Amino acid sequence: LAGLIEDWERRGGRIVAPSERLLREISETREALATYLARRAAEVATIKQREQALKIATKGYDAAQAEDSDTYHKENLRFYEYLAEVIDNRMILDLIRKNLTLGAVLRLRDYAKVIPLVRFAEGNLAVAKAILEGRPDEAETAARERIRTSLTYNIDAFRAS
């Protein structure tokens, strides 16, 4: 996985240790993808698609409330995958999957298991509600705030580890 394995040429490779720079790069990439997805979905989604996005975000929120981190993380990935499907962009779908996987592997491998899931889930709900209402500016802003909240948490957790 690009970004996770450092090539040592003939000696093989090694799993990289997280750094603030790597965490920022992952987050900045995710912000670019997530804000675009949110904006475009708010612009082009059908009513049924808008309702489905809200349903997925709500399921993630319910899992976060129940402290079911496995289900939350699955629904978080599903939420962004669904938005990529709504805008019918397979390249963004592939990029968001890679980005979320890389971020999750580093976070789950190296940080304390206490993650403010409810706060993250509330961010996804705000994005989904703006999409439901067909408000691209609000959807983009909510996505940006959601990702920046995650970055702040990741940097704080990295510094504390």
Side-chain angles (χ1 to χ4, degrees):
L1 190 68
L4 186 58
I5 305 294
E6 182 178 277
D7 184 14
W8 280 13
E9 297 181 15
R10 293 184 182 167
R11 295 180 293 165
R14 73 177 179 100
I15 297 174
V16 300
S19 65
E20 282 193 39
R21 179 182 176 147
L22 180 57
L23 293 171
R24 282 190 195 288
E25 288 174 355
I26 291 167
S27 185
E28 288 170 358
T29 302
R30 184 168 175 200
E31 182 179 323
L33 295 168
T35 55
Y36 180 76
L37 285 170
R39 171 173 279 287
R40 285 295 294 149
E43 292 170 344
V44 304
T46 65
I47 296 297
K48 185 176 179 180
Q49 290 171 323
R50 293 168 196 266
E51 290 170 348
Q52 181 64 21
L54 182 60
K55 183 178 178 181
I56 295 168
T58 300
K59 188 171 180 184
Y61 178 78
D62 292 344
Q65 287 282 89
E67 298 181 8
D68 179 354
S69 64
D70 288 341
T71 300
Y72 167 76
H73 288 295
K74 286 177 192 171
E75 294 305 314
N76 183 56
L77 174 59
R78 189 168 160 233
F79 180 67
Y80 289 102
E81 287 176 333
Y82 186 71
L83 296 184
E85 291 169 11
V86 165
I87 70 167
D88 194 26
N89 189 316
R90 290 174 302 196
M91 187 173 287
I92 289 180
L93 176 61
D94 183 55
L95 290 170
I96 198 74
R97 282 179 176 154
K98 287 177 181 176
N99 181 270
L100 286 166
T101 300
L102 177 58
V105 167
L106 290 175
R107 182 180 61 253
L108 296 173
R109 184 189 74 187
D110 294 295
Y111 303 151
K113 299 297 182 204
V114 180
I115 300 171
L117 296 181
V118 172
R119 194 159 172 213
F120 296 166
E122 288 170 344
N124 287 350
L125 272 177
V127 172
K129 288 176 182 176
I131 291 169
L132 180 67
E133 296 169 1
R135 297 175 183 233
D137 291 340
E138 290 179 26
E140 181 178 344
T141 298
R144 181 172 287 108
E145 290 173 4
R146 159 64 178 91
I147 302 308
R148 289 185 180 176
T149 297
S150 180
L151 173 61
T152 299
Y153 165 78
N154 288 332
I155 294 294
D156 289 348
F158 173 76
R159 289 177 179 163
S161 64

